[in-house]
Amino acid sequence: MATTTTTTSTITKRSPVMMATKRTEVPDVKTMRDAIPARCFERSMLRSFSYVVRDLVAVSLLFYSAVQLVRLDLPWTLSVPLWTVYGFVTGLFFTGLWILAHECGHDSFSANGTVNATTGWFLHSMLLVPFFSWKFSHSRHHRYANHMEKDTVFVPHRKPAEHQEKPEPTFLERIMDHTAADTPIVSIISLIIHQLFGWPAYMLLNAGAGVKSLTTKSTRKETPKYMQSHLNPTAHVFTQSEQPFVLLSNIGLVIILATLYQVSRSIGVMNTFFIYGVPYLWMNHWIVAITYLHHTHPEAAHYEADTWTYAKGALSTVDREFGFIGRHIFHGIIEYHVVHHIFPRIPFYHCEEATWAIAPMLGDNIHPVQVR
């Protein structure tokens, strides 16, 4: 049985999903892999690091400009617009670095596992993300994408049967699904909370995950919240062999928090918040928004255990067009997410070619959104 969720978006005519005009059977993974040129699976460490260097240079220049802004005694009519632009633009590049660390987590950054782990840990720690903790749960999201019980990301609520009373959504459910509210004001408030706290809620409480997404046989309802935190090495989100790496992730967070504390003693808490905290909040917003839109669409089904397969789950994600920012700062993760779900080790700079290679055989199994 397949369950669907609702949202809307747009896509441009440049996208390969526009070729989807006919319902077809879901092709097997090998058939799709054979259709993709072998070069798409080649990982270039030099090319990947060129994007890291580019984004780090951009962030460094933005940090420098912010420090100079702190030293200027500008009236609020000038300082507020400048800080607003700074926070937004820096948040974009924070998100770009987050996505490059995401490449490391999938080992699509390079063919060297040590380089991937070290680079991903450095980049994600810098952004206050527990790299290995996220990597382990994210790999299970890819393994069980759109599985109603085992997926770890934005699993929708089942509609109650006609004879059952619809349960009132909990506060946490409203954070992860802002459509659960009935009134516009509550929906707007829930959306704001969703965008501000959705990512911390997932990291700290495993919010949005399926009832059987843990590594033990116990369900999420039976497991205390502290045993589902991505910061707890002994949490049921991880296996015993993964626990030391979770601890290493926490060490990275402590290093960055200690650095931010020292910076705040030098330039002040508010200035530190404007320089680092506001871009961090923008990054949280983009990560939650991108993930939500990738996995929420009327035609993108979520499957029960008896009908789910890896291919069907991966193909029930959505490519969306986001223009210059999506393609050049967010490294195309929004535009070519379907092929990434099927073959997560394809580097992001090959995902467009790989998408075009498999689009003709997918038909309506790749979910287009309406052109306006």
Side-chain angles (χ1 to χ4, degrees):
M1 178 180 178
T3 307
T4 59
T5 55
T6 58
T7 191
T8 59
S9 185
T10 60
I11 198 160
T12 70
K13 293 182 180 180
R14 289 185 297 170
S15 173
V17 302
M18 293 310 300
M19 299 177 63
T21 58
K22 183 180 180 181
R23 174 66 63 182
T24 60
E25 295 296 324
V26 175
D28 61 77
V29 174
K30 184 180 185 305
T31 300
M32 289 186 282
R33 184 183 182 91
D34 291 343
I36 298 174
R39 61 179 173 272
C40 291
F41 294 91
E42 296 175 358
R43 298 163 286 179
S44 169
M45 185 186 302
L46 180 62
R47 185 171 181 179
S48 295
F49 267 118
S50 71
Y51 290 102
V52 173
V53 172
R54 186 203 72 172
D55 287 1
L56 285 177
V57 168
V59 169
S60 298
L61 291 174
L62 287 162
F63 278 173
Y64 177 79
S65 67
V67 172
Q68 299 309 308
L69 183 58
V70 168
R71 295 173 178 173
L72 296 176
D73 187 20
L74 296 176
W76 70 268
T77 52
L78 290 177
S79 63
V80 170
L82 287 174
W83 279 116
T84 300
V85 172
Y86 163 82
F88 175 75
V89 175
T90 307
L92 295 179
F93 282 99
F94 270 25
T95 306
L97 287 169
W98 195 105
I99 292 164
L100 293 174
H102 166 270
E103 292 280 297
C104 295
H106 284 296
D107 286 328
S108 57
F109 187 85
S110 78
N112 188 309
T114 301
V115 169
N116 295 337
T118 304
T119 306
W121 177 84
F122 172 78
L123 293 177
H124 262 178
S125 296
M126 187 180 73
L127 302 170
L128 287 180
V129 177
F131 172 69
F132 294 105
S133 309
W134 160 84
K135 173 183 175 179
F136 297 141
S137 65
H138 187 69
S139 68
R140 294 185 183 98
H141 160 59
H142 272 257
R143 191 181 310 163
Y144 298 110
N146 294 305
H147 191 298
M148 280 296 294
E149 295 179 338
K150 296 183 178 181
D151 195 359
T152 64
V153 173
F154 285 120
V155 176
H157 303 293
R158 290 182 175 87
K159 292 183 178 180
E162 294 183 0
H163 63 279
Q164 293 178 325
E165 182 180 353
K166 183 178 180 180
E168 184 70 18
T170 65
F171 178 71
L172 187 58
E173 289 172 345
R174 293 190 185 200
I175 290 179
M176 301 311 293
D177 181 9
H178 57 83
T179 64
D182 293 326
T183 63
I185 294 178
V186 175
S187 293
I188 292 172
I189 294 174
S190 298
L191 175 60
I192 294 172
I193 294 174
H194 178 269
Q195 295 306 113
L196 282 176
F197 302 110
W199 172 250
Y202 175 64
M203 285 287 100
L204 297 174
L205 304 172
N206 201 29
V211 66
K212 294 183 179 179
S213 61
L214 302 178
T215 58
T216 64
K217 292 184 178 180
S218 58
T219 66
R220 287 190 61 230
K221 292 182 179 180
E222 299 167 341
T223 305
K225 292 301 181 185
Y226 75 92
M227 290 302 293
Q228 299 184 52
S229 171
H230 283 70
L231 303 183
N232 181 359
T234 64
H236 294 171
V237 178
F238 313 110
T239 64
Q240 188 171 0
S241 63
E242 293 169 345
Q243 293 177 6
F245 296 96
V246 177
L247 182 60
L248 182 59
S249 298
N250 291 347
I251 292 173
L253 300 185
V254 170
I255 292 172
I256 299 303
L257 288 172
T259 302
L260 289 172
Y261 172 73
Q262 292 300 323
V263 170
S264 69
R265 294 187 62 184
S266 174
I267 66 173
V269 174
M270 285 304 299
N271 287 329
T272 303
F273 174 74
F274 288 138
I275 291 174
Y276 182 90
V278 173
Y280 171 80
L281 292 176
W282 271 112
M283 179 194 73
N284 278 2
H285 156 74
W286 288 121
I287 295 305
V288 173
I290 290 168
T291 307
Y292 183 83
L293 291 173
H294 277 160
H295 299 92
T296 310
H297 186 268
E299 297 179 22
H302 287 72
Y303 295 93
E304 301 292 352
D306 58 343
T307 58
W308 177 90
T309 67
Y310 175 84
K312 288 197 294 186
L315 290 173
S316 286
T317 57
V318 185
D319 289 343
R320 298 179 183 269
E321 179 63 41
F322 205 69
F324 177 87
I325 290 174
R327 291 174 177 271
H328 298 287
I329 302 181
F330 292 171
H331 307 295
I333 194 173
I334 302 176
E335 288 78 4
Y336 305 108
H337 192 69
V338 174
V339 75
H340 165 72
H341 247 282
I342 306 167
F343 304 108
R345 286 197 177 184
I346 294 180
F348 71 88
Y349 42 80
H350 289 320
C351 281
E352 180 176 6
E353 182 179 4
T355 299
W356 279 103
I358 65 174
M361 70 176 65
L362 295 180
D364 285 346
N365 289 309
I366 188 167
H367 301 288
V369 291
Q370 296 297 318
V371 178
R372 295 178 183 173

